[in-house]
Amino acid sequence: MVSKNSCVAGPACEAEASQAGLKSWLKLLIGFALVWVCIFVFGSLSRYIPGADHMAEVIDERGLRATAIYYTDLEETYEGSEYIRHALESAPNED
């Protein structure tokens, strides 16, 4: 069974392939444009989030890498993990 969109050879086939190629490039360009909008438009709007200025100051003061997931060399991290550990150990058992 031959599909509806198949062509054997000739100018019609080349035109279809050319259109498909252009659609792919157009989709790629639209994707890049959307990524650009997300980074530069929505990202610049983030400065209006309450508390963002204070968070930026703390990051700058302490020399933190804001993209790091977990810090093991900070006192706050140690204190936080010890607090959680202590809270879990002293929690009443409900057996």
Side-chain angles (χ1 to χ4, degrees):
M1 174 181 239
V2 178
S3 71
K4 212 174 172 183
N5 293 330
S6 67
C7 57
V8 178
C13 237
E14 291 173 12
E16 272 186 40
S18 174
Q19 269 188 333
L22 287 174
K23 287 181 183 178
S24 297
W25 281 106
L26 183 63
K27 289 178 184 178
L28 180 66
L29 291 175
I30 290 171
F32 280 139
L34 288 173
V35 169
W36 184 86
V37 166
C38 287
I39 291 172
F40 293 105
V41 175
F42 297 137
S44 65
L45 293 176
S46 68
R47 67 177 155 221
Y48 298 111
I49 296 173
D53 290 334
H54 176 66
M55 185 174 62
E57 289 173 11
V58 170
I59 288 172
D60 288 340
E61 285 174 1
R62 297 184 185 192
L64 301 176
R65 291 178 301 146
T67 57
I69 295 174
Y70 184 72
Y71 290 94
T72 56
D73 57 344
L74 293 177
E75 184 178 344
E76 289 85 358
T77 303
Y78 174 76
E79 289 174 359
S81 65
E82 286 300 307
Y83 175 79
I84 292 171
R85 184 176 294 118
H86 177 69
L88 292 173
E89 287 173 354
S90 62
N93 290 335
E94 296 181 17
D95 292 300

